[in-house]
Amino acid sequence: MAKIVDEALARSFGLSAEEYARVLAIMGRTPSLTELGVFSVMWSEHCSYKSSRVWLKTLPTKAPWVIHGPGENAGVVDIGDGLAAIFKMESHNHPSFIEPHQGAATGVGGILRDVFTMGARPVANLNALRFGDPNHPRTKRTVDGVVRGVGGYGNCVGVPTVGGEVNFHPAYNGNPLVNAMTVGIARQDRIFLSAAAGIGNPVVYVGSKTGRDGIHGATMASTEFGKDSEEKRPTVQVGDPFTEKLLIEACLELMATDAIIAIQDMGAAGLTSSSVEMAGKGDVGIELDLDAVPQRETGMTAYEMMLSESQERMLIVIRPDRQDMARAIFDKWELDFAVIGHLTDTGHIVVKHKGVVEADIPLAPLADQAPLYHRPIAETPKRAPLGYVASPLGMADAVMQLIACPDLCSRAWIWDQYDSTVGGQTVKRPGAADAAVVKVDGFARALALTTDCTPRYCAADAEAGAAQAVAEAWRNITAVGARPLAITDNMNFGNPEKPEIMGQFASAIKGMAAACIALDFPVVSGNVSLYNETEGKGILPTPAIGGLGVLEDAAQAVGIAPAAGLDLVLIGATVGHLGQSLWLREIAKREDGPPPPVDLVAERRNGDFVRGEILAGRVRACHDISDGGTLIAVVEMALAGNVGIDLLPRHEEIAPHAFWFGEDQARYIVAVASAAAFIAAATAAGVPATLLGHTGHQAHLTLPGGATISREAVQRAHERFLPAWMDNAGER
Amino acid sequence: MRAGIVVFPGINRERDMAIALEISGAKPRMIWHRETDLSGLDLIVIPGGFSYGDYLRCGAMAAQSPVMRAVREHAARGGYVLGVCNGFQILTEMGMLPGVLLRNASLRFLSMDCYLRVERVTPAYTSKFAQGAVFRAPMAHGDGNYFANDATLDRLEGEGLVAFRYVTPHGEPTLAANRNGSARNIAGIYSENLRVLGLMPHPEDLVDKLMGGTDGKPLFDSIAAAA
């Protein structure tokens, strides 16, 4: 404890000189080491959102069905029957780079706690993963560890992992993204918030014991990586999904009583952020006695305990007369339960350890005077239009190459390692539909869930790309027949101190906001991860969107697999936009042009029509058109349904490769019994619709030019990459 | 049959099991792991999950639990015991069923549908299946690779104690159908009196058309119909 608190130490804790001066002004003296630790984590980018807050405030967050928007541990929306869906997505990027398995595992654990701390039983996990170039020496190890971590944690706690997305790009070589989303269900009259209340009420610590793990994790997550990032491994925590499972059950059991006044999980910045935020939101003071904190190690200092990010811990403000009953519940689940403090009227957080006051900080200025930056912005120049690009490859060869590429190949190798059925409510498993569908136990209704973002679009035009991410989430939910309700966002960007990165961020927020408004699809929770850079190289801007929708009757959900003997109808207008398409990258070997424009009016009109037809029972299968364009969507449907498909010749004035591989937005392919009536209804609704072809029992696909490809060959190509790369597995 | 479902800390498929039993008309009750009075119950089900986190060998901790002594006595009295996934692992850890469940041959967790062939029709568990029937069931485990020495395997086969085998959709016990690498494609086995059954896959997660099919339902219909 011989460390001298001064500006140099403050800087090593991640505070700027100006920020440290502000600490001195608030305290009126030199802070203690523990106090400096509290300021540095609370004012870290990760906890304070100091670079992003001014922009986040501009996002639409309201709708009649929104019960709690951003500001709570997770977003809460009304899903009918007196029930609420509670959900959020959160990043664990930096830890997952340093130690992929534990980094990803604790990411899942953290987001689960954000959801059950509000009273919801977690019913589904999803994720959004971005990895580096498969040829980069580090990527394989990262993929292996992240998949094991995500699976290991989710499988053990018994929450099904039902969906997600994966991209590969060299921009993530030194900075993979692990964004984890949890969705839970609660009764609307049993939602728990974090604002502490009641002077004198006990503050209770439950869950795992505190160790020295993860100290300063939030600060680590707020800086770039250099060559020394490996040395940061001690800042990564280790997950214990078994304890998490017990914590879920114990908390839900306690939540069925009237004992809890406020509850918050100890996530980033552990005991510090949970106690500061609970007291701050409730406008009360809090006094903690660290001698009472359950400890896993001996000789821990106040500084270490306040900054530890040991996992699977919660802080609860409890009714004093319910303390014994609450303790009995945690005894039953064999978890620690310790009264470690009480609420006060001082407006301060006071931390005592071994009879000494180790910290005494006024809460109001700690929150109100937290740094807030209007960082300079440089807009990304718009990309020049692509112009005509000739096709270097025949259509059959292009299909075979595209369907096998890392960004389009089958993800089965990944989701086969995630338990997607535990709970017995999974209506549409990974790969079966554009959104996962999970029934609400005991009710007819179901949730539709998806995660989406196309980072290459965002890199070319962050505003259009972010709007596209929201639109695609909305479309995926629509494609199963569900009504989209709200999103959670996970904003992954580079160093915000660089104007071009801040420009990407600001543009992305603008694009998201426009799409959210046009689609009635507000943001109810989210997370920002900045400084995703290694040695000065930033990631592609990646505003990952987690979408949630509701189906009143789970039986109405449709998947992407058509039966034989149906007509395939293309919904939406096609102009053949190839800029930033996967065809352009994989076949023409170019990564340029603008991303496809997003017409939100058409998006809404087309989607509302498709959903109406699904709910009317006229659609047998539906698949949105995204990466790879129409032909890839058709192939995916053929593989999912195990059917042959006969595509009709086209007569548009669009080059065939642009028609079939262009990534125009607001489009779907639906399988219907009779195209004529369906197209007539679409036309009447002002929705472009055209017959693409038919499904049949044959074992091949017939391309519009008459060439055929065997479904088995396509399937082999589609399924080859991940097992071959990761497990050196031959074809099965 | 009156059924009880044992809940250890870390078990996570108890609800799935209860739903499946209820759909078939059985009315199970939950048994907390500290309980030792199993009177009035005909069938004890040990469901899937990660008892005690499975941080030691899978099922090794739960096998030492007080409730499992009561389960052993229940079986000794001729009672019925069904162990699924972690439940099967616990039963082998206790020696109530022979063999062990090793790490999957791929060394990865496997979550996917598999196909099972009914190797023997027994009154308590498979009366609603035809002999040799093939049905689909989800599996979700990291340690489902059944192993026993050849003498034990020969005895299990000779005495007709193999309950289910991993097969192709057409009923062939091929290498490819045996994803976790189990000896002789064995997915489930019976005790000598045919009253204790352990299996790795989860028929309880396929008992409703909405969730993708009712392939697993005959197992629970058989249980519900048994006297």
Side-chain angles (χ1 to χ4, degrees), chain A residues 192-219:
Chain A
F192 292 83
L193 305 180
S194 57
I199 307 304
N201 277 342
V203 175
V204 175
Y205 169 121
V206 299
S208 284
K209 295 186 198 311
T210 296
R212 288 191 172 93
D213 41 344
I215 291 174
H216 262 307
T219 312

PDB file of all heavy atoms in Angstrom, chain A residues 192-219:
ATOM      1  N   PHE A 192     -37.779  -6.096 -11.265  1.00  0.00           N
ATOM      2  CA  PHE A 192     -36.946  -5.544 -10.203  1.00  0.00           C
ATOM      3  C   PHE A 192     -35.960  -4.520 -10.748  1.00  0.00           C
ATOM      4  O   PHE A 192     -35.310  -4.753 -11.763  1.00  0.00           O
ATOM      5  CB  PHE A 192     -36.206  -6.676  -9.480  1.00  0.00           C
ATOM      6  CG  PHE A 192     -37.136  -7.554  -8.705  1.00  0.00           C
ATOM      7  CD1 PHE A 192     -37.822  -8.583  -9.335  1.00  0.00           C
ATOM      8  CD2 PHE A 192     -37.373  -7.320  -7.363  1.00  0.00           C
ATOM      9  CE1 PHE A 192     -38.716  -9.379  -8.628  1.00  0.00           C
ATOM     10  CE2 PHE A 192     -38.263  -8.113  -6.648  1.00  0.00           C
ATOM     11  CZ  PHE A 192     -38.938  -9.146  -7.291  1.00  0.00           C
ATOM     12  N   LEU A 193     -35.879  -3.381 -10.064  1.00  0.00           N
ATOM     13  CA  LEU A 193     -35.009  -2.293 -10.505  1.00  0.00           C
ATOM     14  C   LEU A 193     -33.862  -2.122  -9.511  1.00  0.00           C
ATOM     15  O   LEU A 193     -33.810  -2.778  -8.477  1.00  0.00           O
ATOM     16  CB  LEU A 193     -35.823  -1.007 -10.648  1.00  0.00           C
ATOM     17  CG  LEU A 193     -37.055  -1.130 -11.576  1.00  0.00           C
ATOM     18  CD1 LEU A 193     -37.800   0.192 -11.646  1.00  0.00           C
ATOM     19  CD2 LEU A 193     -36.667  -1.607 -12.966  1.00  0.00           C
ATOM     20  N   SER A 194     -32.963  -1.188  -9.866  1.00  0.00           N
ATOM     21  CA  SER A 194     -31.730  -1.107  -9.090  1.00  0.00           C
ATOM     22  C   SER A 194     -31.660   0.094  -8.156  1.00  0.00           C
ATOM     23  O   SER A 194     -30.679   0.231  -7.431  1.00  0.00           O
ATOM     24  CB  SER A 194     -30.534  -1.105 -10.048  1.00  0.00           C
ATOM     25  OG  SER A 194     -30.652  -0.050 -10.959  1.00  0.00           O
ATOM     26  N   ALA A 195     -32.666   0.960  -8.145  1.00  0.00           N
ATOM     27  CA  ALA A 195     -32.584   2.149  -7.291  1.00  0.00           C
ATOM     28  C   ALA A 195     -32.797   1.787  -5.823  1.00  0.00           C
ATOM     29  O   ALA A 195     -33.855   1.309  -5.430  1.00  0.00           O
ATOM     30  CB  ALA A 195     -33.617   3.189  -7.739  1.00  0.00           C
ATOM     31  N   ALA A 196     -31.774   2.020  -5.025  1.00  0.00           N
ATOM     32  CA  ALA A 196     -31.847   1.695  -3.599  1.00  0.00           C
ATOM     33  C   ALA A 196     -32.801   2.655  -2.892  1.00  0.00           C
ATOM     34  O   ALA A 196     -32.959   3.811  -3.299  1.00  0.00           O
ATOM     35  CB  ALA A 196     -30.456   1.784  -2.983  1.00  0.00           C
ATOM     36  N   ALA A 197     -33.429   2.188  -1.811  1.00  0.00           N
ATOM     37  CA  ALA A 197     -34.334   3.046  -1.040  1.00  0.00           C
ATOM     38  C   ALA A 197     -34.419   2.534   0.390  1.00  0.00           C
ATOM     39  O   ALA A 197     -34.247   1.338   0.641  1.00  0.00           O
ATOM     40  CB  ALA A 197     -35.716   3.065  -1.682  1.00  0.00           C
ATOM     41  N   GLY A 198     -34.719   3.483   1.301  1.00  0.00           N
ATOM     42  CA  GLY A 198     -34.929   3.114   2.694  1.00  0.00           C
ATOM     43  C   GLY A 198     -33.667   3.228   3.524  1.00  0.00           C
ATOM     44  O   GLY A 198     -32.898   2.283   3.627  1.00  0.00           O
ATOM     45  N   ILE A 199     -33.483   4.422   4.129  1.00  0.00           N
ATOM     46  CA  ILE A 199     -32.282   4.645   4.948  1.00  0.00           C
ATOM     47  C   ILE A 199     -32.211   3.579   6.042  1.00  0.00           C
ATOM     48  O   ILE A 199     -33.209   3.291   6.695  1.00  0.00           O
ATOM     49  CB  ILE A 199     -32.334   6.062   5.598  1.00  0.00           C
ATOM     50  CG1 ILE A 199     -32.566   7.154   4.543  1.00  0.00           C
ATOM     51  CG2 ILE A 199     -31.069   6.331   6.423  1.00  0.00           C
ATOM     52  CD1 ILE A 199     -31.559   7.180   3.425  1.00  0.00           C
ATOM     53  N   GLY A 200     -31.061   3.021   6.210  1.00  0.00           N
ATOM     54  CA  GLY A 200     -30.869   1.994   7.237  1.00  0.00           C
ATOM     55  C   GLY A 200     -31.052   0.584   6.716  1.00  0.00           C
ATOM     56  O   GLY A 200     -30.662  -0.384   7.375  1.00  0.00           O
ATOM     57  N   ASN A 201     -31.641   0.437   5.525  1.00  0.00           N
ATOM     58  CA  ASN A 201     -31.873  -0.914   5.004  1.00  0.00           C
ATOM     59  C   ASN A 201     -30.558  -1.633   4.728  1.00  0.00           C
ATOM     60  O   ASN A 201     -29.594  -1.028   4.266  1.00  0.00           O
ATOM     61  CB  ASN A 201     -32.703  -0.863   3.714  1.00  0.00           C
ATOM     62  CG  ASN A 201     -34.186  -0.757   4.017  1.00  0.00           C
ATOM     63  OD1 ASN A 201     -34.621  -1.052   5.130  1.00  0.00           O
ATOM     64  ND2 ASN A 201     -34.951  -0.326   3.033  1.00  0.00           N
ATOM     65  N   PRO A 202     -30.563  -2.924   5.001  1.00  0.00           N
ATOM     66  CA  PRO A 202     -29.323  -3.675   4.799  1.00  0.00           C
ATOM     67  C   PRO A 202     -28.966  -3.867   3.334  1.00  0.00           C
ATOM     68  O   PRO A 202     -29.848  -4.012   2.473  1.00  0.00           O
ATOM     69  CB  PRO A 202     -29.606  -5.025   5.470  1.00  0.00           C
ATOM     70  CG  PRO A 202     -31.072  -5.113   5.616  1.00  0.00           C
ATOM     71  CD  PRO A 202     -31.632  -3.725   5.616  1.00  0.00           C
ATOM     72  N   VAL A 203     -27.673  -3.852   3.076  1.00  0.00           N
ATOM     73  CA  VAL A 203     -27.133  -4.137   1.747  1.00  0.00           C
ATOM     74  C   VAL A 203     -26.522  -5.532   1.816  1.00  0.00           C
ATOM     75  O   VAL A 203     -25.640  -5.781   2.639  1.00  0.00           O
ATOM     76  CB  VAL A 203     -26.072  -3.096   1.355  1.00  0.00           C
ATOM     77  CG1 VAL A 203     -25.420  -3.457   0.016  1.00  0.00           C
ATOM     78  CG2 VAL A 203     -26.687  -1.702   1.290  1.00  0.00           C
ATOM     79  N   VAL A 204     -27.029  -6.406   0.979  1.00  0.00           N
ATOM     80  CA  VAL A 204     -26.659  -7.815   1.069  1.00  0.00           C
ATOM     81  C   VAL A 204     -25.865  -8.244  -0.161  1.00  0.00           C
ATOM     82  O   VAL A 204     -26.212  -7.889  -1.285  1.00  0.00           O
ATOM     83  CB  VAL A 204     -27.929  -8.696   1.194  1.00  0.00           C
ATOM     84  CG1 VAL A 204     -27.555 -10.179   1.166  1.00  0.00           C
ATOM     85  CG2 VAL A 204     -28.684  -8.363   2.468  1.00  0.00           C
ATOM     86  N   TYR A 205     -24.831  -8.974   0.115  1.00  0.00           N
ATOM     87  CA  TYR A 205     -23.972  -9.529  -0.938  1.00  0.00           C
ATOM     88  C   TYR A 205     -24.317 -11.005  -1.057  1.00  0.00           C
ATOM     89  O   TYR A 205     -24.334 -11.717  -0.067  1.00  0.00           O
ATOM     90  CB  TYR A 205     -22.538  -9.335  -0.480  1.00  0.00           C
ATOM     91  CG  TYR A 205     -21.420 -10.024  -1.226  1.00  0.00           C
ATOM     92  CD1 TYR A 205     -20.408  -9.272  -1.811  1.00  0.00           C
ATOM     93  CD2 TYR A 205     -21.321 -11.411  -1.296  1.00  0.00           C
ATOM     94  CE1 TYR A 205     -19.338  -9.883  -2.451  1.00  0.00           C
ATOM     95  CE2 TYR A 205     -20.262 -12.019  -1.946  1.00  0.00           C
ATOM     96  CZ  TYR A 205     -19.272 -11.258  -2.527  1.00  0.00           C
ATOM     97  OH  TYR A 205     -18.216 -11.858  -3.152  1.00  0.00           O
ATOM     98  N   VAL A 206     -24.603 -11.480  -2.294  1.00  0.00           N
ATOM     99  CA  VAL A 206     -24.860 -12.912  -2.491  1.00  0.00           C
ATOM    100  C   VAL A 206     -24.052 -13.432  -3.667  1.00  0.00           C
ATOM    101  O   VAL A 206     -23.663 -12.676  -4.551  1.00  0.00           O
ATOM    102  CB  VAL A 206     -26.361 -13.208  -2.736  1.00  0.00           C
ATOM    103  CG1 VAL A 206     -27.210 -12.789  -1.554  1.00  0.00           C
ATOM    104  CG2 VAL A 206     -26.857 -12.561  -4.018  1.00  0.00           C
ATOM    105  N   GLY A 207     -23.830 -14.743  -3.658  1.00  0.00           N
ATOM    106  CA  GLY A 207     -23.165 -15.383  -4.796  1.00  0.00           C
ATOM    107  C   GLY A 207     -21.792 -15.889  -4.447  1.00  0.00           C
ATOM    108  O   GLY A 207     -21.559 -16.389  -3.342  1.00  0.00           O
ATOM    109  N   SER A 208     -20.880 -15.763  -5.385  1.00  0.00           N
ATOM    110  CA  SER A 208     -19.515 -16.265  -5.207  1.00  0.00           C
ATOM    111  C   SER A 208     -18.710 -15.364  -4.283  1.00  0.00           C
ATOM    112  O   SER A 208     -19.051 -14.201  -4.086  1.00  0.00           O
ATOM    113  CB  SER A 208     -18.794 -16.285  -6.549  1.00  0.00           C
ATOM    114  OG  SER A 208     -19.219 -17.351  -7.322  1.00  0.00           O
ATOM    115  N   LYS A 209     -17.628 -15.905  -3.788  1.00  0.00           N
ATOM    116  CA  LYS A 209     -16.718 -15.104  -2.970  1.00  0.00           C
ATOM    117  C   LYS A 209     -15.877 -14.187  -3.875  1.00  0.00           C
ATOM    118  O   LYS A 209     -15.732 -14.429  -5.070  1.00  0.00           O
ATOM    119  CB  LYS A 209     -15.795 -16.020  -2.182  1.00  0.00           C
ATOM    120  CG  LYS A 209     -16.528 -16.882  -1.153  1.00  0.00           C
ATOM    121  CD  LYS A 209     -15.530 -17.657  -0.320  1.00  0.00           C
ATOM    122  CE  LYS A 209     -16.149 -18.829   0.418  1.00  0.00           C
ATOM    123  NZ  LYS A 209     -17.363 -18.553   1.173  1.00  0.00           N
ATOM    124  N   THR A 210     -15.347 -13.151  -3.237  1.00  0.00           N
ATOM    125  CA  THR A 210     -14.527 -12.183  -3.967  1.00  0.00           C
ATOM    126  C   THR A 210     -13.059 -12.599  -3.945  1.00  0.00           C
ATOM    127  O   THR A 210     -12.525 -12.931  -2.884  1.00  0.00           O
ATOM    128  CB  THR A 210     -14.694 -10.788  -3.331  1.00  0.00           C
ATOM    129  OG1 THR A 210     -16.052 -10.388  -3.508  1.00  0.00           O
ATOM    130  CG2 THR A 210     -13.767  -9.766  -3.976  1.00  0.00           C
ATOM    131  N   GLY A 211     -12.454 -12.554  -5.118  1.00  0.00           N
ATOM    132  CA  GLY A 211     -11.022 -12.835  -5.214  1.00  0.00           C
ATOM    133  C   GLY A 211     -10.321 -11.674  -5.903  1.00  0.00           C
ATOM    134  O   GLY A 211     -10.928 -10.628  -6.136  1.00  0.00           O
ATOM    135  N   ARG A 212      -9.076 -11.920  -6.262  1.00  0.00           N
ATOM    136  CA  ARG A 212      -8.321 -10.829  -6.876  1.00  0.00           C
ATOM    137  C   ARG A 212      -8.465 -10.821  -8.404  1.00  0.00           C
ATOM    138  O   ARG A 212      -7.710 -10.146  -9.091  1.00  0.00           O
ATOM    139  CB  ARG A 212      -6.843 -10.941  -6.506  1.00  0.00           C
ATOM    140  CG  ARG A 212      -6.544 -10.578  -5.054  1.00  0.00           C
ATOM    141  CD  ARG A 212      -5.061 -10.445  -4.806  1.00  0.00           C
ATOM    142  NE  ARG A 212      -4.777  -9.928  -3.473  1.00  0.00           N
ATOM    143  CZ  ARG A 212      -4.554 -10.686  -2.400  1.00  0.00           C
ATOM    144  NH1 ARG A 212      -4.583 -11.997  -2.516  1.00  0.00           N
ATOM    145  NH2 ARG A 212      -4.318 -10.130  -1.220  1.00  0.00           N
ATOM    146  N   ASP A 213      -9.414 -11.569  -8.921  1.00  0.00           N
ATOM    147  CA  ASP A 213      -9.515 -11.643 -10.382  1.00  0.00           C
ATOM    148  C   ASP A 213     -10.216 -10.439 -10.992  1.00  0.00           C
ATOM    149  O   ASP A 213     -11.151  -9.882 -10.428  1.00  0.00           O
ATOM    150  CB  ASP A 213     -10.208 -12.941 -10.834  1.00  0.00           C
ATOM    151  CG  ASP A 213     -11.401 -13.319  -9.983  1.00  0.00           C
ATOM    152  OD1 ASP A 213     -11.548 -12.775  -8.879  1.00  0.00           O
ATOM    153  OD2 ASP A 213     -12.202 -14.152 -10.437  1.00  0.00           O
ATOM    154  N   GLY A 214      -9.734 -10.072 -12.156  1.00  0.00           N
ATOM    155  CA  GLY A 214     -10.416  -9.056 -12.942  1.00  0.00           C
ATOM    156  C   GLY A 214     -10.253  -7.639 -12.417  1.00  0.00           C
ATOM    157  O   GLY A 214     -11.013  -6.753 -12.789  1.00  0.00           O
ATOM    158  N   ILE A 215      -9.280  -7.423 -11.544  1.00  0.00           N
ATOM    159  CA  ILE A 215      -9.127  -6.058 -11.028  1.00  0.00           C
ATOM    160  C   ILE A 215      -8.783  -5.127 -12.178  1.00  0.00           C
ATOM    161  O   ILE A 215      -7.891  -5.390 -12.977  1.00  0.00           O
ATOM    162  CB  ILE A 215      -8.051  -6.021  -9.923  1.00  0.00           C
ATOM    163  CG1 ILE A 215      -8.591  -6.771  -8.700  1.00  0.00           C
ATOM    164  CG2 ILE A 215      -7.682  -4.590  -9.560  1.00  0.00           C
ATOM    165  CD1 ILE A 215      -7.591  -6.952  -7.587  1.00  0.00           C
ATOM    166  N   HIS A 216      -9.553  -4.069 -12.278  1.00  0.00           N
ATOM    167  CA  HIS A 216      -9.370  -3.083 -13.338  1.00  0.00           C
ATOM    168  C   HIS A 216      -9.765  -3.590 -14.721  1.00  0.00           C
ATOM    169  O   HIS A 216      -9.297  -3.101 -15.726  1.00  0.00           O
ATOM    170  CB  HIS A 216      -7.953  -2.524 -13.360  1.00  0.00           C
ATOM    171  CG  HIS A 216      -7.852  -1.207 -12.652  1.00  0.00           C
ATOM    172  ND1 HIS A 216      -8.673  -0.163 -12.953  1.00  0.00           N
ATOM    173  CD2 HIS A 216      -7.047  -0.782 -11.666  1.00  0.00           C
ATOM    174  CE1 HIS A 216      -8.375   0.860 -12.169  1.00  0.00           C
ATOM    175  NE2 HIS A 216      -7.404   0.511 -11.371  1.00  0.00           N
ATOM    176  N   GLY A 217     -10.661  -4.572 -14.779  1.00  0.00           N
ATOM    177  CA  GLY A 217     -11.128  -5.054 -16.082  1.00  0.00           C
ATOM    178  C   GLY A 217     -11.811  -3.968 -16.892  1.00  0.00           C
ATOM    179  O   GLY A 217     -11.623  -3.863 -18.100  1.00  0.00           O
ATOM    180  N   ALA A 218     -12.606  -3.133 -16.228  1.00  0.00           N
ATOM    181  CA  ALA A 218     -13.323  -2.091 -16.955  1.00  0.00           C
ATOM    182  C   ALA A 218     -12.354  -1.087 -17.562  1.00  0.00           C
ATOM    183  O   ALA A 218     -12.586  -0.553 -18.642  1.00  0.00           O
ATOM    184  CB  ALA A 218     -14.306  -1.379 -16.027  1.00  0.00           C
ATOM    185  N   THR A 219     -11.264  -0.842 -16.856  1.00  0.00           N
ATOM    186  CA  THR A 219     -10.268   0.081 -17.393  1.00  0.00           C
ATOM    187  C   THR A 219      -9.562  -0.542 -18.580  1.00  0.00           C
ATOM    188  O   THR A 219      -9.328   0.099 -19.601  1.00  0.00           O
ATOM    189  CB  THR A 219      -9.241   0.438 -16.298  1.00  0.00           C
ATOM    190  OG1 THR A 219      -9.948   0.780 -15.119  1.00  0.00           O
ATOM    191  CG2 THR A 219      -8.384   1.593 -16.725  1.00  0.00           C
TER     192      THR A 219
END
